[in-house]
Amino acid sequence: MDVQPEENVDVFDLDHTLLNTERQWFGPVLLWLARYAKLPRHVVDIRFAECNRTTFTFEGLFAALEIDAAHWSRIELELRDGLSLRANRCLYPDVVPMLVSRHRVARLVLVTAGDETWQRWKFDQLTDLHPFFHPGDRHFVPLTGSKADCIEAYRGAAQLSFADDSPRWLSEVSARIPRARLIRPVWPDTNVPPDHPDDGRRWDVACSAAE
């Protein structure tokens, strides 16, 4: 993880930054579950939002939807197979061209927070991202941990940029590493039920705290 003083480093979050998590990743899953559980889609969306406030698990969602526990393993396997098949189509349309461009001029680093097993599995399915992030530059942070702790290791870069949708992480990194440039992907009503379109994303680039 040694950083050369002449290196530029771009740090990226995964969910809602590179991955269209609500509409494309989870949307078809929740539609399938609504049909299976014979529940209105808006009810499934509300229960999903409640389960997803901390760490997502299929078991927690199935329990919230009152699905018979005897079927959980089979349903989860079916849903994971579907996610694996369409994973790369869940990236925002401009992500891969953007990473190709940035990879020419910067070292790319992934720092994502959540359940480590789930986040690693999710990233493993996103094979279009793999060429851009060296295994040593992929960091999976528990929600009780700190993204800033990982990013501190790259503070010696010539220019350090951090792209994340979360004000919490942007503020923490800004406080710890004032020279880091902050980039926030913004789209209307980010934290809403997952059938809400979030394709209107744009990149907001903020100056570093030092500037």
Side-chain angles (χ1 to χ4, degrees):
M1 199 188 296
D2 291 341
V3 179
Q4 302 304 314
E6 68 276 8
E7 272 189 308
N8 295 323
V9 173
D10 291 355
V11 181
F12 291 94
D13 172 46
L14 180 59
D15 293 298
H16 314 296
T17 300
L18 302 177
L19 180 67
N20 188 332
T21 309
E22 304 295 352
R23 186 176 188 182
Q24 298 296 336
W25 180 263
F26 278 120
V29 168
L30 300 184
L31 180 60
W32 190 96
L33 286 171
R35 291 169 176 166
Y36 182 88
K38 296 181 173 57
L39 291 170
R41 172 61 192 272
H42 74 275
V43 172
V44 175
D45 289 346
I46 290 168
R47 294 184 186 175
F48 167 74
E50 291 169 350
C51 293
N52 205 33
R53 284 200 180 105
T54 53
T55 299
F56 172 79
T57 64
F58 280 110
E59 291 86 352
L61 180 57
F62 296 159
L65 298 177
E66 300 180 355
I67 293 173
D68 186 341
H71 303 301
W72 286 5
S73 295
R74 175 183 60 79
I75 294 171
E76 180 173 347
L77 181 60
E78 185 170 340
L79 293 175
R80 283 183 184 263
D81 285 346
L83 286 168
S84 296
L85 287 172
R86 60 183 177 80
N88 289 316
R89 298 196 298 274
C90 298
L91 296 170
Y92 287 104
D94 60 334
V95 159
V96 171
M98 178 271 294
L99 293 176
V100 169
S101 175
R102 293 306 304 164
H103 196 245
R104 296 189 185 109
V105 296
R107 177 176 175 178
L108 306 187
V109 174
L110 181 80
V111 179
T112 180
D115 178 80
E116 182 177 349
T117 301
W118 171 244
Q119 291 299 93
R120 284 185 183 276
W121 183 87
K122 187 190 299 180
F123 183 80
D124 285 346
Q125 314 317 304
L126 296 166
T127 54
D128 283 358
L129 296 182
H130 294 182
F132 304 107
F133 299 97
H134 184 275
D137 289 327
R138 303 171 187 174
H139 305 280
F140 301 89
V141 179
L143 285 174
T144 55
S146 167
K147 289 187 179 183
D149 287 345
C150 293
I151 298 170
E152 282 266 15
Y154 300 92
R155 69 183 306 153
Q159 183 178 66
L160 177 62
S161 301
F162 175 48
D164 198 299
D165 71 297
S166 167
R168 169 195 170 185
W169 297 122
L170 291 169
S171 297
E172 183 176 320
V173 169
S174 179
R176 294 266 294 274
I177 313 169
R179 59 185 294 269
R181 291 183 63 82
L182 307 178
I183 305 171
R184 186 181 184 194
V186 178
W187 55 90
D189 302 320
T190 303
N191 298 311
V192 295
D195 60 339
H196 190 287
D198 58 358
D199 292 335
R201 183 176 59 97
R202 67 184 188 277
W203 293 93
D204 278 3
V205 182
C207 292
S208 68
E211 293 174 301

